[in-house]
Amino acid sequence: MNQDNTPGLIPFTIDLTFEEARRRAEVVAALGPDWDPVAALRGEDEAYALLYSGLDAEQQRTYDLLVAAGVLSGEEPGRAAAH
């Protein structure tokens, strides 16, 4: 005998498309009118180059192994690690 008198589950769905668009608009607004995406990417490239500059021979070998394994991205444009 089933003593559970709770009603069945009622499907509940929310479309978050509007909220995601609003969130993105708020992010862009918070960046302000002076935000330059090209300059930001250029700065990231410069920081990446500086981070891996001046490696000694062993560090360079390790770096090359990590790039070959896809753990680190190389120096090509649009770098993104494979994993």
Side-chain angles (χ1 to χ4, degrees):
M1 180 173 203
N2 186 358
Q3 297 285 330
D4 188 10
N5 292 330
T6 59
L9 296 176
I10 299 172
F12 181 74
T13 60
I14 298 175
D15 182 4
L16 296 176
T17 306
F18 175 76
E19 288 302 316
E20 179 61 14
R22 186 192 61 74
R23 184 193 68 79
R24 289 181 183 197
E26 291 294 329
V27 168
V28 172
L31 290 171
D34 298 328
W35 181 64
D36 182 1
V38 174
L41 289 174
R42 190 177 312 115
E44 287 182 16
D45 287 341
E46 291 168 1
Y48 187 88
L50 184 60
L51 179 64
Y52 294 108
S53 66
L55 301 177
D56 64 27
E58 183 179 343
Q59 291 170 331
Q60 187 64 51
R61 277 192 302 276
T62 302
Y63 172 80
D64 293 339
L65 285 171
L66 292 172
V67 169
V71 175
L72 290 176
S73 57
E75 296 180 12
E76 66 276 357
R79 311 182 293 274
H83 298 72

